[in-house]
Amino acid sequence: HNCPHLAEQTQQHQSQRIMDLTIKYDGRVDNHSSLAHLWNDWYAKYWRDAEFPFVMVRFEDIIFHPKNVTTQLCECGGGKIRTDRPFQYIKDSAKDGPGHGKLSERTGMVQAWIRYSQPLAPQGGFSPLDYEKCQEYLDPELMNMFHYQHAPPSS
Protein backbone atom coordinates (compact mmCIF):
# COMPACT_ATOMS: atom_id res chain seq x y z
CA HIS A 1 0.00 0.00 0.00
CA ASN A 2 1.22 3.46 -0.88
CA CYS A 3 0.69 6.34 1.48
CA PRO A 4 -1.65 8.27 1.48
CA HIS A 5 -3.75 5.43 0.04
CA LEU A 6 -6.80 7.59 -0.68
CA ALA A 7 -8.53 5.06 -2.90
CA GLU A 8 -8.06 1.58 -4.27
CA GLN A 9 -9.06 -0.25 -7.39
CA THR A 10 -11.64 -2.99 -6.90
CA GLN A 11 -10.61 -6.53 -7.78
CA GLN A 12 -12.17 -6.23 -11.21
CA HIS A 13 -10.26 -2.91 -11.77
CA GLN A 14 -13.54 -1.58 -13.12
CA SER A 15 -14.19 0.86 -10.30
CA GLN A 16 -12.48 2.62 -7.42
CA ARG A 17 -13.27 2.51 -3.72
CA ILE A 18 -12.52 5.49 -1.51
CA MET A 19 -10.55 4.64 1.63
CA ASP A 20 -12.49 6.05 4.58
CA LEU A 21 -10.75 6.99 7.79
CA THR A 22 -11.83 6.88 11.43
CA ILE A 23 -9.97 8.93 14.05
CA LYS A 24 -10.48 8.04 17.71
CA TYR A 25 -9.91 10.87 20.15
CA ASP A 26 -10.35 10.72 23.88
CA GLY A 27 -14.12 10.68 24.18
CA ARG A 28 -15.14 10.99 20.54
CA VAL A 29 -14.77 9.47 17.08
CA ASP A 30 -14.52 11.40 13.80
CA ASN A 31 -15.13 9.79 10.44
CA HIS A 32 -13.65 11.17 7.23
CA SER A 33 -13.97 10.03 3.65
CA SER A 34 -10.14 9.83 3.30
CA LEU A 35 -6.89 11.23 4.68
CA ALA A 36 -7.27 14.17 2.26
CA HIS A 37 -10.77 14.83 3.59
CA LEU A 38 -9.39 14.80 7.15
CA TRP A 39 -6.89 17.50 6.10
CA ASN A 40 -9.71 19.55 4.54
CA ASP A 41 -12.03 19.08 7.53
CA TRP A 42 -9.36 19.80 10.15
CA TYR A 43 -8.29 23.13 8.68
CA ALA A 44 -11.84 24.15 7.69
CA LYS A 45 -12.83 23.98 11.37
CA TYR A 46 -10.45 26.87 11.94
CA TRP A 47 -10.26 28.71 8.65
CA ARG A 48 -13.95 28.70 7.77
CA ASP A 49 -15.81 27.94 10.99
CA ALA A 50 -13.85 29.39 13.93
CA GLU A 51 -15.47 32.26 15.79
CA PHE A 52 -12.32 32.99 17.76
CA PRO A 53 -8.86 34.28 16.83
CA PHE A 54 -6.36 31.67 15.69
CA VAL A 55 -2.98 31.37 14.02
CA MET A 56 -1.98 28.71 11.51
CA VAL A 57 1.71 28.13 10.87
CA ARG A 58 3.00 25.94 8.09
CA PHE A 59 5.50 23.31 9.24
CA GLU A 60 7.91 24.21 6.45
CA ASP A 61 7.97 27.85 7.58
CA ILE A 62 9.08 26.77 11.05
CA ILE A 63 11.77 24.56 9.50
CA PHE A 64 13.20 27.09 7.06
CA HIS A 65 12.50 30.41 8.86
CA PRO A 66 12.40 29.59 12.58
CA LYS A 67 13.64 32.94 13.92
CA ASN A 68 11.33 35.02 11.70
CA VAL A 69 8.28 32.82 12.45
CA THR A 70 9.01 32.77 16.18
CA THR A 71 9.44 36.54 16.23
CA GLN A 72 6.16 37.11 14.37
CA LEU A 73 4.25 34.69 16.62
CA CYS A 74 5.69 36.26 19.75
CA GLU A 75 4.76 39.77 18.58
CA CYS A 76 1.30 38.60 17.46
CA GLY A 77 0.67 37.42 21.02
CA GLY A 78 1.83 40.75 22.47
CA GLY A 79 5.32 39.60 23.40
CA LYS A 80 8.81 40.54 22.31
CA ILE A 81 11.59 38.27 21.20
CA ARG A 82 14.49 38.22 23.67
CA THR A 83 17.44 40.34 22.62
CA ASP A 84 19.68 39.66 25.63
CA ARG A 85 21.00 36.47 24.01
CA PRO A 86 21.19 34.95 20.52
CA PHE A 87 18.22 33.09 19.06
CA GLN A 88 18.55 29.43 20.03
CA TYR A 89 17.93 26.79 17.36
CA ILE A 90 16.87 23.33 18.53
CA LYS A 91 18.95 21.06 16.32
CA ASP A 92 17.74 17.73 17.68
CA SER A 93 14.18 16.51 17.42
CA ALA A 94 11.89 18.62 19.57
CA LYS A 95 9.76 15.54 20.19
CA ASP A 96 10.58 13.70 23.37
CA GLY A 97 9.28 10.68 25.20
CA PRO A 98 8.28 7.13 24.33
CA GLY A 99 5.25 8.10 22.21
CA HIS A 100 7.44 9.59 19.47
CA GLY A 101 9.19 6.47 18.18
CA LYS A 102 12.81 5.47 18.35
CA LEU A 103 15.28 8.25 19.10
CA SER A 104 17.38 7.21 16.09
CA GLU A 105 14.38 7.69 13.77
CA ARG A 106 13.37 11.17 14.91
CA THR A 107 14.00 14.09 12.58
CA GLY A 108 16.16 16.98 13.77
CA MET A 109 16.64 20.37 12.14
CA VAL A 110 19.32 19.36 9.61
CA GLN A 111 17.49 16.18 8.60
CA ALA A 112 14.28 18.23 8.15
CA TRP A 113 16.12 20.75 5.95
CA ILE A 114 17.39 17.92 3.76
CA ARG A 115 14.08 16.07 3.65
CA TYR A 116 11.78 19.04 2.98
CA SER A 117 14.03 21.04 0.64
CA GLN A 118 13.97 18.44 -2.13
CA PRO A 119 11.91 19.14 -5.26
CA LEU A 120 8.67 17.19 -5.42
CA ALA A 121 8.95 13.86 -7.17
CA PRO A 122 6.62 13.28 -10.11
CA GLN A 123 3.16 12.63 -8.70
CA GLY A 124 4.62 13.34 -5.24
CA GLY A 125 5.75 9.71 -5.17
CA PHE A 126 2.10 8.62 -5.04
CA SER A 127 0.49 5.88 -7.08
CA PRO A 128 -1.32 7.16 -10.18
CA LEU A 129 -4.69 6.63 -8.48
CA ASP A 130 -3.67 8.48 -5.27
CA TYR A 131 -2.22 11.32 -7.35
CA GLU A 132 -5.51 11.63 -9.22
CA LYS A 133 -7.50 11.54 -5.98
CA CYS A 134 -5.27 14.18 -4.30
CA GLN A 135 -6.10 16.55 -7.12
CA GLU A 136 -9.79 15.69 -6.81
CA TYR A 137 -10.12 15.67 -3.00
CA LEU A 138 -7.80 18.38 -1.62
CA ASP A 139 -9.67 21.65 -1.15
CA PRO A 140 -8.30 24.15 -3.71
CA GLU A 141 -9.06 27.09 -1.40
CA LEU A 142 -6.96 25.57 1.38
CA MET A 143 -4.20 24.65 -1.06
CA ASN A 144 -4.15 28.26 -2.26
CA MET A 145 -4.30 29.73 1.26
CA PHE A 146 -1.26 27.67 2.30
CA HIS A 147 0.49 28.40 -1.03
CA TYR A 148 0.64 24.69 -1.81
CA GLN A 149 0.79 23.21 -5.28
CA HIS A 150 0.17 19.68 -6.42
CA ALA A 151 3.25 17.72 -7.35
CA PRO A 152 4.10 17.69 -11.05
CA PRO A 153 2.59 14.86 -13.10
CA SER A 154 4.67 11.98 -14.42
CA SER A 155 6.22 12.55 -17.82
Side-chain angles (χ1 to χ4, degrees):
H1 298 288
N2 292 332
C3 189
H5 202 58
L6 301 176
E8 69 179 359
Q9 295 280 43
T10 60
Q11 285 187 348
Q12 297 81 15
H13 295 282
Q14 308 259 332
S15 63
Q16 301 160 354
R17 184 175 77 84
I18 190 169
M19 301 299 295
D20 60 328
L21 182 69
T22 299
I23 306 291
K24 295 178 182 178
Y25 299 98
D26 187 30
R28 80 169 205 269
V29 175
D30 284 351
N31 294 298
H32 304 275
S33 296
S34 72
L35 184 59
H37 289 89
L38 166 62
W39 186 80
N40 294 338
D41 296 344
W42 178 269
Y43 286 106
K45 285 181 181 177
Y46 294 97
W47 182 52
R48 292 189 186 124
D49 304 336
E51 296 180 8
F52 51 84
F54 64 93
V55 174
M56 285 196 263
V57 179
R58 298 181 325 161
F59 182 62
E60 58 272 25
D61 291 331
I62 294 172
I63 292 171
F64 295 113
H65 311 285
K67 184 177 181 182
N68 186 24
V69 169
T70 303
T71 300
Q72 289 183 43
L73 287 170
C74 187
E75 290 172 357
C76 178
K80 283 189 161 249
I81 200 82
R82 291 183 68 161
T83 57
D84 60 329
R85 61 182 183 195
F87 184 80
Q88 186 175 1
Y89 294 90
I90 298 174
K91 295 179 183 133
D92 295 326
S93 174
K95 295 180 179 178
D96 195 17
H100 297 288
K102 297 177 185 174
L103 186 59
S104 62
E105 295 175 1
R106 296 180 194 166
T107 303
M109 185 173 73
V110 173
Q111 295 94 335
W113 284 344
I114 293 167
R115 181 176 183 179
Y116 295 106
S117 66
Q118 302 300 314
L120 289 173
Q123 295 185 181
F126 298 160
S127 70
L129 179 59
D130 277 342
Y131 180 71
E132 173 190 328
K133 295 303 175 187
C134 279
Q135 298 211 7
E136 181 181 335
Y137 297 160
L138 291 174
D139 185 318
E141 287 183 277
L142 285 171
M143 293 283 289
N144 186 52
M145 183 188 73
F146 283 121
H147 301 278
Y148 289 154
Q149 300 175 6
H150 290 283
S154 292
S155 305

Short mmCIF file of all heavy atoms in Angstrom, two decimals, residues 37-66:
data_model
loop_
_atom_site.label_atom_id
_atom_site.label_comp_id
_atom_site.label_asym_id
_atom_site.label_seq_id
_atom_site.Cartn_x
_atom_site.Cartn_y
_atom_site.Cartn_z
N HIS A 37 -9.57 14.21 3.01
CA HIS A 37 -10.77 14.83 3.59
C HIS A 37 -10.52 15.23 5.05
O HIS A 37 -11.03 16.26 5.51
CB HIS A 37 -11.97 13.90 3.47
CG HIS A 37 -12.46 13.73 2.07
ND1 HIS A 37 -11.96 12.76 1.23
CD2 HIS A 37 -13.37 14.43 1.35
CE1 HIS A 37 -12.57 12.86 0.06
NE2 HIS A 37 -13.42 13.87 0.10
N LEU A 38 -9.76 14.42 5.78
CA LEU A 38 -9.39 14.80 7.15
C LEU A 38 -8.63 16.11 7.12
O LEU A 38 -8.90 17.01 7.92
CB LEU A 38 -8.54 13.70 7.80
CG LEU A 38 -7.81 14.10 9.10
CD1 LEU A 38 -8.78 14.48 10.21
CD2 LEU A 38 -6.89 12.98 9.55
N TRP A 39 -7.66 16.26 6.22
CA TRP A 39 -6.89 17.50 6.10
C TRP A 39 -7.84 18.68 5.82
O TRP A 39 -7.76 19.71 6.48
CB TRP A 39 -5.85 17.35 4.98
CG TRP A 39 -4.90 18.49 4.84
CD1 TRP A 39 -3.79 18.75 5.61
CD2 TRP A 39 -4.96 19.55 3.88
NE1 TRP A 39 -3.17 19.89 5.17
CE2 TRP A 39 -3.86 20.40 4.11
CE3 TRP A 39 -5.83 19.86 2.84
CZ2 TRP A 39 -3.61 21.53 3.34
CZ3 TRP A 39 -5.58 20.99 2.07
CH2 TRP A 39 -4.48 21.80 2.33
N ASN A 40 -8.73 18.50 4.86
CA ASN A 40 -9.71 19.55 4.54
C ASN A 40 -10.57 19.90 5.75
O ASN A 40 -10.76 21.07 6.08
CB ASN A 40 -10.65 19.10 3.41
CG ASN A 40 -9.96 18.91 2.09
OD1 ASN A 40 -8.89 19.45 1.82
ND2 ASN A 40 -10.57 18.10 1.24
N ASP A 41 -11.12 18.87 6.39
CA ASP A 41 -12.03 19.08 7.53
C ASP A 41 -11.32 19.74 8.71
O ASP A 41 -11.87 20.63 9.35
CB ASP A 41 -12.63 17.74 7.97
CG ASP A 41 -13.50 17.09 6.92
OD1 ASP A 41 -13.90 17.77 5.95
OD2 ASP A 41 -13.76 15.87 7.05
N TRP A 42 -10.11 19.28 9.01
CA TRP A 42 -9.36 19.80 10.15
C TRP A 42 -9.13 21.30 10.01
O TRP A 42 -9.41 22.08 10.92
CB TRP A 42 -8.02 19.07 10.27
CG TRP A 42 -7.16 19.57 11.38
CD1 TRP A 42 -6.21 20.56 11.31
CD2 TRP A 42 -7.18 19.14 12.74
NE1 TRP A 42 -5.62 20.76 12.54
CE2 TRP A 42 -6.20 19.89 13.44
CE3 TRP A 42 -7.91 18.18 13.43
CZ2 TRP A 42 -5.95 19.71 14.79
CZ3 TRP A 42 -7.65 18.01 14.78
CH2 TRP A 42 -6.69 18.77 15.44
N TYR A 43 -8.60 21.72 8.87
CA TYR A 43 -8.29 23.13 8.68
C TYR A 43 -9.54 23.97 8.46
O TYR A 43 -9.58 25.14 8.85
CB TYR A 43 -7.27 23.32 7.56
CG TYR A 43 -5.91 22.89 8.02
CD1 TYR A 43 -5.34 21.70 7.58
CD2 TYR A 43 -5.21 23.65 8.96
CE1 TYR A 43 -4.09 21.30 8.04
CE2 TYR A 43 -3.97 23.25 9.43
CZ TYR A 43 -3.42 22.09 8.96
OH TYR A 43 -2.20 21.68 9.44
N ALA A 44 -10.59 23.40 7.89
CA ALA A 44 -11.84 24.15 7.69
C ALA A 44 -12.46 24.52 9.04
O ALA A 44 -13.09 25.56 9.15
CB ALA A 44 -12.83 23.34 6.85
N LYS A 45 -12.27 23.67 10.05
CA LYS A 45 -12.83 23.98 11.37
C LYS A 45 -12.25 25.29 11.91
O LYS A 45 -12.90 25.99 12.67
CB LYS A 45 -12.56 22.84 12.35
CG LYS A 45 -13.44 21.64 12.10
CD LYS A 45 -13.17 20.53 13.08
CE LYS A 45 -14.06 19.35 12.77
NZ LYS A 45 -13.81 18.21 13.63
N TYR A 46 -11.05 25.60 11.52
CA TYR A 46 -10.45 26.87 11.94
C TYR A 46 -10.69 27.95 10.89
O TYR A 46 -11.25 29.00 11.18
CB TYR A 46 -8.94 26.70 12.17
CG TYR A 46 -8.64 25.79 13.32
CD1 TYR A 46 -8.36 24.44 13.12
CD2 TYR A 46 -8.68 26.27 14.63
CE1 TYR A 46 -8.11 23.60 14.19
CE2 TYR A 46 -8.43 25.44 15.70
CZ TYR A 46 -8.15 24.11 15.47
OH TYR A 46 -7.90 23.28 16.53
N TRP A 47 -10.27 27.70 9.69
CA TRP A 47 -10.26 28.71 8.65
C TRP A 47 -11.66 29.21 8.28
O TRP A 47 -11.87 30.39 8.10
CB TRP A 47 -9.55 28.15 7.42
CG TRP A 47 -9.43 29.11 6.28
CD1 TRP A 47 -8.94 30.38 6.32
CD2 TRP A 47 -9.81 28.87 4.95
NE1 TRP A 47 -8.97 30.94 5.08
CE2 TRP A 47 -9.51 30.02 4.21
CE3 TRP A 47 -10.37 27.78 4.29
CZ2 TRP A 47 -9.74 30.12 2.85
CZ3 TRP A 47 -10.59 27.89 2.94
CH2 TRP A 47 -10.28 29.04 2.24
N ARG A 48 -12.61 28.31 8.18
CA ARG A 48 -13.95 28.70 7.77
C ARG A 48 -14.92 28.86 8.93
O ARG A 48 -15.82 29.68 8.87
CB ARG A 48 -14.51 27.65 6.81
CG ARG A 48 -13.82 27.62 5.50
CD ARG A 48 -14.56 26.72 4.52
NE ARG A 48 -13.78 26.59 3.31
CZ ARG A 48 -13.40 25.44 2.80
NH1 ARG A 48 -13.75 24.32 3.36
NH2 ARG A 48 -12.69 25.42 1.69
N ASP A 49 -14.77 28.05 9.96
CA ASP A 49 -15.81 27.94 10.99
C ASP A 49 -15.49 28.60 12.32
O ASP A 49 -16.41 28.83 13.11
CB ASP A 49 -16.11 26.45 11.26
CG ASP A 49 -16.51 25.70 9.99
OD1 ASP A 49 -16.98 26.34 9.03
OD2 ASP A 49 -16.34 24.47 9.96
N ALA A 50 -14.22 28.89 12.60
CA ALA A 50 -13.85 29.39 13.93
C ALA A 50 -14.44 30.78 14.18
O ALA A 50 -14.43 31.64 13.31
CB ALA A 50 -12.34 29.44 14.09
N GLU A 51 -14.95 30.96 15.37
CA GLU A 51 -15.47 32.26 15.79
C GLU A 51 -14.57 32.86 16.87
O GLU A 51 -15.02 33.61 17.72
CB GLU A 51 -16.91 32.10 16.30
CG GLU A 51 -17.85 31.64 15.20
CD GLU A 51 -19.28 31.46 15.67
OE1 GLU A 51 -19.59 31.84 16.82
OE2 GLU A 51 -20.09 30.95 14.88
N PHE A 52 -13.31 32.50 16.81
CA PHE A 52 -12.32 32.99 17.76
C PHE A 52 -11.02 33.22 16.99
O PHE A 52 -10.81 32.65 15.93
CB PHE A 52 -12.11 31.99 18.90
CG PHE A 52 -11.83 30.59 18.42
CD1 PHE A 52 -10.55 30.18 18.07
CD2 PHE A 52 -12.87 29.66 18.31
CE1 PHE A 52 -10.30 28.90 17.62
CE2 PHE A 52 -12.64 28.38 17.86
CZ PHE A 52 -11.34 27.99 17.51
N PRO A 53 -10.14 34.05 17.52
CA PRO A 53 -8.86 34.28 16.83
C PRO A 53 -8.00 33.02 16.83
O PRO A 53 -8.03 32.24 17.79
CB PRO A 53 -8.19 35.37 17.66
CG PRO A 53 -9.17 35.82 18.66
CD PRO A 53 -10.29 34.84 18.71
N PHE A 54 -7.25 32.82 15.79
CA PHE A 54 -6.36 31.67 15.69
C PHE A 54 -5.20 32.00 14.77
O PHE A 54 -5.27 32.95 13.99
CB PHE A 54 -7.12 30.43 15.18
CG PHE A 54 -7.64 30.59 13.78
CD1 PHE A 54 -6.88 30.17 12.69
CD2 PHE A 54 -8.87 31.17 13.55
CE1 PHE A 54 -7.36 30.34 11.41
CE2 PHE A 54 -9.35 31.34 12.27
CZ PHE A 54 -8.60 30.92 11.19
N VAL A 55 -4.16 31.22 14.88
CA VAL A 55 -2.98 31.37 14.02
C VAL A 55 -2.68 30.00 13.45
O VAL A 55 -2.68 29.01 14.17
CB VAL A 55 -1.75 31.87 14.83
CG1 VAL A 55 -0.51 31.89 13.96
CG2 VAL A 55 -2.02 33.24 15.42
N MET A 56 -2.43 29.95 12.15
CA MET A 56 -1.98 28.71 11.51
C MET A 56 -0.57 28.94 11.00
O MET A 56 -0.31 29.96 10.35
CB MET A 56 -2.90 28.32 10.35
CG MET A 56 -4.21 27.75 10.81
SD MET A 56 -5.07 26.89 9.49
CE MET A 56 -6.18 28.15 8.94
N VAL A 57 0.32 28.03 11.30
CA VAL A 57 1.71 28.13 10.87
C VAL A 57 2.06 26.88 10.09
O VAL A 57 1.85 25.76 10.56
CB VAL A 57 2.66 28.27 12.09
CG1 VAL A 57 4.10 28.37 11.63
CG2 VAL A 57 2.26 29.47 12.94
N ARG A 58 2.58 27.09 8.90
CA ARG A 58 3.00 25.94 8.09
C ARG A 58 4.29 25.35 8.67
O ARG A 58 5.20 26.08 9.05
CB ARG A 58 3.24 26.36 6.64
CG ARG A 58 2.03 26.91 5.95
CD ARG A 58 2.29 27.30 4.50
NE ARG A 58 3.62 27.83 4.28
CZ ARG A 58 4.20 27.89 3.10
NH1 ARG A 58 3.57 27.48 2.01
NH2 ARG A 58 5.41 28.39 2.96
N PHE A 59 4.35 24.03 8.71
CA PHE A 59 5.50 23.31 9.24
C PHE A 59 6.78 23.74 8.53
O PHE A 59 7.82 23.98 9.15
CB PHE A 59 5.27 21.81 9.10
CG PHE A 59 6.36 20.95 9.66
CD1 PHE A 59 6.68 20.99 11.01
CD2 PHE A 59 7.05 20.08 8.85
CE1 PHE A 59 7.68 20.20 11.53
CE2 PHE A 59 8.06 19.28 9.36
CZ PHE A 59 8.37 19.33 10.70
N GLU A 60 6.71 23.86 7.22
CA GLU A 60 7.91 24.21 6.45
C GLU A 60 8.41 25.62 6.77
O GLU A 60 9.61 25.91 6.66
CB GLU A 60 7.68 24.04 4.94
CG GLU A 60 6.55 24.85 4.37
CD GLU A 60 5.20 24.17 4.42
OE1 GLU A 60 4.97 23.28 5.26
OE2 GLU A 60 4.35 24.54 3.60
N ASP A 61 7.52 26.51 7.19
CA ASP A 61 7.97 27.85 7.58
C ASP A 61 8.75 27.81 8.89
O ASP A 61 9.72 28.55 9.06
CB ASP A 61 6.78 28.81 7.69
CG ASP A 61 6.17 29.12 6.34
OD1 ASP A 61 6.90 29.08 5.33
OD2 ASP A 61 4.95 29.39 6.29
N ILE A 62 8.33 26.94 9.80
CA ILE A 62 9.08 26.77 11.05
C ILE A 62 10.45 26.16 10.76
O ILE A 62 11.45 26.55 11.35
CB ILE A 62 8.30 25.90 12.05
CG1 ILE A 62 7.03 26.62 12.50
CG2 ILE A 62 9.16 25.52 13.24
CD1 ILE A 62 6.11 25.77 13.33
N ILE A 63 10.51 25.22 9.84
CA ILE A 63 11.77 24.56 9.50
C ILE A 63 12.75 25.53 8.85
O ILE A 63 13.92 25.59 9.22
CB ILE A 63 11.53 23.36 8.56
CG1 ILE A 63 10.79 22.25 9.31
CG2 ILE A 63 12.85 22.83 7.99
CD1 ILE A 63 10.34 21.13 8.41
N PHE A 64 12.29 26.28 7.85
CA PHE A 64 13.20 27.09 7.06
C PHE A 64 13.36 28.53 7.55
O PHE A 64 14.32 29.21 7.18
CB PHE A 64 12.77 27.08 5.59
CG PHE A 64 12.87 25.73 4.96
CD1 PHE A 64 11.74 25.05 4.57
CD2 PHE A 64 14.10 25.12 4.79
CE1 PHE A 64 11.83 23.78 4.00
CE2 PHE A 64 14.21 23.85 4.23
CZ PHE A 64 13.07 23.19 3.83
N HIS A 65 12.45 29.02 8.37
CA HIS A 65 12.50 30.41 8.86
C HIS A 65 12.16 30.47 10.35
O HIS A 65 11.28 31.24 10.76
CB HIS A 65 11.53 31.29 8.06
CG HIS A 65 11.64 31.13 6.59
ND1 HIS A 65 12.68 31.66 5.85
CD2 HIS A 65 10.84 30.48 5.70
CE1 HIS A 65 12.52 31.35 4.58
NE2 HIS A 65 11.42 30.64 4.46
N PRO A 66 12.83 29.68 11.18
CA PRO A 66 12.40 29.59 12.58
C PRO A 66 12.48 30.90 13.36
O PRO A 66 11.57 31.20 14.13
CB PRO A 66 13.34 28.53 13.18
CG PRO A 66 14.52 28.49 12.27
CD PRO A 66 14.00 28.84 10.91
#
